[in-house]
Amino acid sequence: MSIPNTTARLLITCPDKPGIVSAVSSFLYNHGVNITDLDQHSTQAEDGTYFMRLEFQTPHLEHSRRVLGKEFGETVATHYNMDWRLSFAADVKKVAILVSRFDHALLELLWRWSRCTLPCQITSVISNHPDLENDVKSFGVQFHHVPVTKDNKVEAEARINELLQGNDLVVLARYMQVLSSDFVAKWPHKIINIHHSFLPAFVGANPYQQAHDKGVKLIGATAHYVTADLDQGPIIEQDVDRVTHRDEVDSLRDMGQDVERNVLARAVKWHLEERIIVHGNKTIVFN
Amino acid sequence: MSIPNTTARLLITCPDKPGIVSAVSSFLYNHGVNITDLDQHSTQAEDGTYFMRLEFQTPHLEHSRRVLGKEFGETVATHYNMDWRLSFAADVKKVAILVSRFDHALLELLWRWSRCTLPCQITSVISNHPDLENDVKSFGVQFHHVPVTKDNKVEAEARINELLQGNDLVVLARYMQVLSSDFVAKWPHKIINIHHSFLPAFVGANPYQQAHDKGVKLIGATAHYVTADLDQGPIIEQDVDRVTHRDEVDSLRDMGQDVERNVLARAVKWHLEERIIVHGNKTIVFN
Amino acid sequence: MSIPNTTARLLITCPDKPGIVSAVSSFLYNHGVNITDLDQHSTQAEDGTYFMRLEFQTPHLEHSRRVLGKEFGETVATHYNMDWRLSFAADVKKVAILVSRFDHALLELLWRWSRCTLPCQITSVISNHPDLENDVKSFGVQFHHVPVTKDNKVEAEARINELLQGNDLVVLARYMQVLSSDFVAKWPHKIINIHHSFLPAFVGANPYQQAHDKGVKLIGATAHYVTADLDQGPIIEQDVDRVTHRDEVDSLRDMGQDVERNVLARAVKWHLEERIIVHGNKTIVFN
Amino acid sequence: MSIPNTTARLLITCPDKPGIVSAVSSFLYNHGVNITDLDQHSTQAEDGTYFMRLEFQTPHLEHSRRVLGKEFGETVATHYNMDWRLSFAADVKKVAILVSRFDHALLELLWRWSRCTLPCQITSVISNHPDLENDVKSFGVQFHHVPVTKDNKVEAEARINELLQGNDLVVLARYMQVLSSDFVAKWPHKIINIHHSFLPAFVGANPYQQAHDKGVKLIGATAHYVTADLDQGPIIEQDVDRVTHRDEVDSLRDMGQDVERNVLARAVKWHLEERIIVHGNKTIVFN
């Protein structure tokens, strides 16, 4: 769905109290912008935390860019003690993808991006294996091979971090190396991972083998923000598919990969459209 | 989920223009009510039709009941040329159910109502067959048997209409008689029907037989408001289940009835929670 | 779907080797029975374990009952070293239900049974609380109240076991007491439990609270055979429903209960239709 | 899932009578082949039509190829008046794809094929537009541009038919030209089309527009064999996704395309694995 270039989004988190909607919407109305989407959530009826997402059209984008955020911060946001983020669809987000050898999640993202259903600029793909270089380059995207071994892990992460500079989002599209806490701390809520199970079931390695051993009747995938705690970051999206006793580990993997690519693509899209607010270890997803 | 007794809902339809959110939320704020849920939709970016649903808490319910609607109507609603409806959760809606011989949809509604997950008062069940009288009475609900034949259709509908007086909603839980246009006109957007197919596929009689003849791989059910045009009223909710070549008409019917009862229960709940706005032949469902 | 009273089912587990289908189907053909359904599975291409389910019609039921099993056991089953089970639809299975206070799973089973879509005889309901007595009796089913406390657990289980004598299957329809290993050992693969989460996620108490704390985007339910290892028995069926950040614990529970009743009803039906073979800690479900 | 090269499949349709399983399985056993999968279906308990699918391993593939079919045809198949088809996984099926401008269904097939999850050889892609040439060639697959106009339709179809010679299956991956009855008659049950709606709803052009106008809450896709009767051929597979009042025609199309590619990929895979028997205007799908 094409989003007009004049679209802006405002995400707000603050202590819940009466008058917030009125204050925010009146501020925007007085600045001549037209609200086209609005959603809110409160964690509880009283004394909860309040979350709000507004989408609006700014006819005078350059003016809005200079003035709107500054004035909002000094008035409404200060008054209500808000965490807030204003962003403009015209500022296309830059995205880098980390991947190892499996291509399914990577290609799904590249394909959706190439047909303009992922509103971003995919700047580069970084891999610890050289295998997918040609696939990536056929989309006109840079490919960097950064091998990672036990011995060079620190240097490799430094190199990756250097390559990532300037990006707004990092997507782990089945990147099979565990990132260090130091690395993760540099990209708070800016790394999305696809885990190949319905978390919290089957944390860790080989979830399809674990699922097969357990004899589950559904397999799943989970897209989540990466935190220092492996496979425990805030969940963005999950989905499952039905399996039977006939499915061996390899067919679980084949079916699971289809779930993975859809789940990851949805999570990345929602992040790019500024639909997600992280609150503690959970997400608010306005969609 | 328990809804506080102080909850009020405001549903709005009007021509879209800037300032509506600000005007409505400021009005409510100035009247000391706290907005706890807000959703909106516009049919198009410019010059569309605008729809809004607000849920808010009115600490002084009796005062609000007397004053809020009147003042809103005279000020904001008039200014923006709104169709609007204000309702209070404390005014529990009265619901009557029409049914023929199949009990699945009826019992699902009675059961959910009896455990307080359908926020309404089920006042009575009316049937053209006597079969379900005991089932209904075991829930402590009145049962009326109104036989319908070719010859007495006009009288029967008159009798049903008489029995329905005072109710806010009529649910056709597999009522197998076609209601006349005159009857339907008396209950605009106040009759919900469950059709046992994924409309618009398999309009009319025997949809499970039609589905079997066609060899479809999914069967569905559709809950919709009843209009004079058979099976063509605004769709509220739909769902499907997967079937195979092994399923004969009777197993399609068994599986389909499970879909029917869930779809109907959801549609009725959303109506009772004032989540639905009808616009032309379509519905806006805020959930 | 009505199953003819002449229907018999044969379930087989044995080491896989060539010739089994031929031997079994020829045996049945030579005994004048007509195979109406046949399914098989092997754990691996060579040297695996082989599973087979046959459904067939026995025109001379009394003769078959006396002769068929005996001869099959002495010839084909011995030759191929089979575990096998022959059963006749005419021998309606007796089922007892254990329940605590939640009624949703219990009522779903009673309702399906009352309209003849669960092919069994529900003989009795046993509960550690008196609350559901009237509901149960309105279906014409015996209700036994067996209170369980810390101090009387042994006696209570003995009483329950006594009441269960003569039943073929025990269903735990949200029975909130943990059964002892001794008790479970008396009913191998004859106790089906509904667990209110997508196992192995959220083992143990309060899974909906756990799911809420974790912020998952799907909630599920799992029907499984009960073994001495809590919540770890062979999984029969699982399903999920989609939830959002808006869902509090109580709405997760409401939605989850709908999933629970469907999952449990399917699992019980499949058990009654002799569709399930347990193999190690997993199930083969032929459907 | 890797299928051994020694795998053979036998598909059978015949009048149902006792003894068929025994006769077929004994024939195979006597020829030294090991049955690894077997499924059957009968349209009714007595005097129905019987369908069977067997998968088995032929250690001596060349011998089997020469002898097995011939002997089966002369003995069992003749005796039971069978329509039957024996095929060998080693004889990889050749597939051509027809497409217009939408690339989603095409790329899904090419991608699955390139990673060996579609067991076939994709020989060529034919399009009435030149747009997708580079995409196709990057997979190492031939691309033919055959423009179709009102005036050259007969010649164009002749040219297409010529290019298709030698292929076993033709897939219409959103090919927007209606094929003539003459053309279709040359490829009976060998052309699979993806229709972008849940048939029989929204037959014909612009189904996403139709779905939007109707206000449905689910959109779907249908893969079916092509017959002379437009959009009416035997249905192989269907699926749906949930939509809301927020979805405009273009977002219905985006979401629908995801459904389309999965539905088409499943249907093509099942055809290639010889899982489908067409019976009248319906399909038996053994999976």
Side-chain angles (χ1 to χ4, degrees), chain B residues 6-44:
Chain B
T6 53
T7 301
R9 283 94 172 214
L10 180 57
L11 291 179
I12 294 167
T13 304
C14 65
D16 196 2
K17 54 168 97 170
I20 301 174
V21 182
S22 170
V24 174
S25 59
S26 299
F27 172 89
L28 291 175
Y29 179 56
N30 293 334
H31 282 75
V33 305
N34 188 21
I35 299 172
T36 46
D37 205 2
L38 188 162
D39 209 342
Q40 64 162 32
H41 174 65
S42 185
T43 52
Q44 54 197 67

Side-chain angles (χ1 to χ4, degrees), chain C residues 97-100 102-109 170-177 179 191-199 202 204 207-208 220-226 230-240 256-268:
Chain C
I97 303 174
L98 269 66
V99 70
S100 292
F102 286 117
D103 67 350
H104 57 283
L106 169 70
L107 291 180
E108 184 73 24
L109 295 176
V170 179
V171 180
L172 310 186
R174 296 298 303 277
Y175 181 66
M176 309 306 276
Q177 297 288 323
L179 296 171
I191 310 177
I192 293 178
N193 181 47
I194 182 71
H195 184 79
H196 41 317
S197 89
F198 178 81
L199 292 173
F202 311 130
Y208 292 126
T222 303
H224 64 96
Y225 286 112
V226 175
L230 182 66
D231 295 342
Q232 299 292 334
I235 293 170
I236 302 169
E237 171 65 341
Q238 308 189 284
D239 212 342
V240 295
Q257 291 184 349
D258 286 348
V259 183
E260 290 171 41
R261 39 191 194 128
N262 286 314
V263 167
L264 180 61
R266 287 202 291 268
V268 170

Side-chain angles (χ1 to χ4, degrees), chain B residues 1-2 37 102-104 107-108 111-112 115 117 246 248 250-251 254 257-258 261-262 287, chain C residues 1-2 37 102-104 107-108 111-112 115 117 246 248 250-251 254 257-258 261-262 287:
Chain B
M1 200 159 36
S2 61
D37 205 2
F102 285 116
D103 67 350
H104 57 283
L107 291 179
E108 185 73 25
W111 176 73
R112 288 181 188 259
R115 61 204 302 268
T117 62
R246 295 185 201 282
E248 296 300 323
D250 56 357
S251 77
D254 283 353
Q257 291 183 349
D258 286 349
R261 42 192 191 125
N262 286 315
N287 59 5
Chain C
M1 201 159 36
S2 62
D37 205 0
F102 286 117
D103 67 350
H104 57 283
L107 291 180
E108 184 73 24
W111 177 73
R112 288 182 188 258
R115 60 204 303 268
T117 62
R246 295 186 200 279
E248 297 301 322
D250 57 357
S251 77
D254 283 352
Q257 291 184 349
D258 286 348
R261 39 191 194 128
N262 286 314
N287 58 8

Side-chain angles (χ1 to χ4, degrees), chain A residues 1-286:
Chain A
M1 200 158 37
S2 62
I3 299 292
N5 217 23
T6 53
T7 301
R9 281 95 172 215
L10 180 58
L11 290 179
I12 294 168
T13 304
C14 66
D16 194 3
K17 53 168 95 168
I20 301 174
V21 182
S22 169
V24 174
S25 58
S26 298
F27 172 89
L28 291 174
Y29 178 56
N30 293 334
H31 282 75
V33 304
N34 188 22
I35 299 172
T36 46
D37 204 1
L38 188 163
D39 209 344
Q40 64 163 31
H41 175 64
S42 186
T43 53
Q44 53 197 67
E46 289 187 34
D47 297 326
T49 302
Y50 177 85
F51 308 92
M52 191 180 200
R53 178 184 187 270
L54 296 112
E55 199 165 288
F56 49 90
Q57 305 305 316
T58 57
H60 308 293
L61 181 61
E62 285 316 310
H63 177 78
S64 296
R65 216 193 279 272
R66 284 196 317 275
V67 172
L68 209 62
K70 185 164 178 301
E71 294 197 2
F72 184 77
E74 289 168 354
T75 58
V76 180
T78 299
H79 182 76
Y80 285 97
N81 196 20
M82 292 174 170
D83 272 345
W84 60 282
R85 187 167 78 224
L86 174 66
S87 58
F88 299 92
D91 301 333
V92 177
K93 286 191 171 59
K94 290 179 179 166
V95 176
I97 302 174
L98 268 67
V99 70
S100 291
R101 278 194 167 116
F102 285 115
D103 67 350
H104 57 283
L106 170 70
L107 291 180
E108 185 73 25
L109 295 176
L110 288 170
W111 176 73
R112 288 182 188 258
W113 165 72
S114 72
R115 60 205 302 269
C116 304
T117 62
L118 273 190
C120 65
Q121 179 188 351
I122 295 185
T123 60
S124 56
V125 173
I126 302 170
S127 178
N128 56 332
H129 295 284
D131 312 35
L132 300 174
E133 176 160 8
N134 285 341
D135 283 319
V136 170
K137 288 190 168 167
S138 76
F139 282 90
V141 171
Q142 284 195 317
F143 179 89
H144 304 286
H145 177 209
V146 181
V148 182
T149 66
K150 268 185 203 167
D151 298 334
N152 82 340
K153 180 152 176 150
V154 172
E155 295 79 4
E157 284 200 349
R159 172 67 180 138
I160 292 170
N161 192 52
E162 191 179 48
L163 289 168
L164 291 178
Q165 290 314 304
N167 283 288
D168 301 292
L169 175 68
V170 179
V171 180
L172 310 186
R174 298 296 303 276
Y175 182 66
M176 309 307 275
Q177 298 287 324
V178 177
L179 296 171
S180 70
S181 301
D182 282 356
F183 185 96
V184 170
K186 289 182 187 122
W187 298 88
H189 305 155
K190 292 191 173 171
I191 310 178
I192 293 178
N193 182 47
I194 181 71
H195 184 78
H196 41 319
S197 89
F198 179 81
L199 291 172
F202 312 130
V203 171
N206 267 332
Y208 292 126
Q209 182 67 53
Q210 291 184 60
H212 188 257
D213 294 347
K214 181 69 187 170
V216 291
K217 302 299 184 184
L218 301 171
I219 50 158
T222 304
H224 64 96
Y225 286 112
V226 176
T227 59
D229 208 353
L230 181 67
D231 295 341
Q232 299 292 334
I235 293 171
I236 302 169
E237 170 66 340
Q238 308 189 284
D239 211 344
V240 295
D241 201 358
R242 189 163 281 277
V243 299
T244 77
H245 59 269
R246 296 185 200 282
D247 292 296
E248 296 301 322
V249 175
D250 56 357
S251 78
L252 293 185
R253 197 193 55 227
D254 283 353
M255 297 174 70
Q257 291 183 350
D258 285 349
V259 183
E260 289 170 41
R261 36 191 195 128
N262 286 315
V263 167
L264 180 60
R266 287 202 291 268
V268 170
K269 184 161 191 275
W270 295 341
H271 179 98
L272 295 171
E273 293 175 351
E274 298 278 350
R275 297 187 176 280
I276 311 175
I277 299 177
V278 177
H279 179 61
N281 201 41
K282 296 161 72 169
T283 60
I284 316 297
V285 181
F286 288 122

